[in-house]
Amino acid sequence: MDFNEIYHLLFETYAGIGILVGAGIAISLLVCVLLEIKTRKVYRNHEADPEQDEWALFEDEVAEAEAEEEADFAAASKKKEA
């Protein structure tokens, strides 16, 4: 097979495009697995804090809302006492 036949097979036929897509997925999966193994070796002593959530998208807004609710509750309590 010469270069033109290989080019025609890979880029001008459905089977060739399938081969390219499959090879791309296989290579990406291999790279992901290797990088994950490397990352686990580097950070093997890092454990998640069981009391802390993984992450919170609106953590600051939740804290601010809780502070406002506490302030409103305190203000309402003072009004009742007065």
Side-chain angles (χ1 to χ4, degrees):
M1 291 180 87
D2 64 344
F3 178 75
N4 288 332
E5 290 178 8
I6 295 172
Y7 181 85
H8 174 72
L9 171 71
L10 292 177
F11 296 104
E12 297 177 0
T13 63
Y14 287 117
I17 294 172
I19 291 170
L20 289 173
V21 169
I25 291 172
I27 290 170
S28 298
L29 183 63
L30 179 65
V31 168
C32 289
V33 168
L34 292 175
L35 290 175
E36 181 67 25
I37 291 170
K38 183 179 177 184
T39 302
R40 286 180 186 240
K41 284 181 183 178
V42 170
Y43 296 108
R44 68 177 175 267
N45 293 330
H46 293 259
E47 295 181 11
D49 185 12
E51 295 178 4
Q52 184 179 9
D53 291 336
E54 292 269 333
W55 58 276
L57 188 60
F58 302 108
E59 185 174 339
D60 294 336
E61 293 177 7
V62 170
E64 289 174 4
E66 289 175 355
E68 288 176 5
E69 287 177 5
E70 289 177 8
D72 291 342
F73 181 73
S77 297
K78 286 183 182 179
K79 284 184 181 180
K80 281 186 178 180
E81 291 175 1

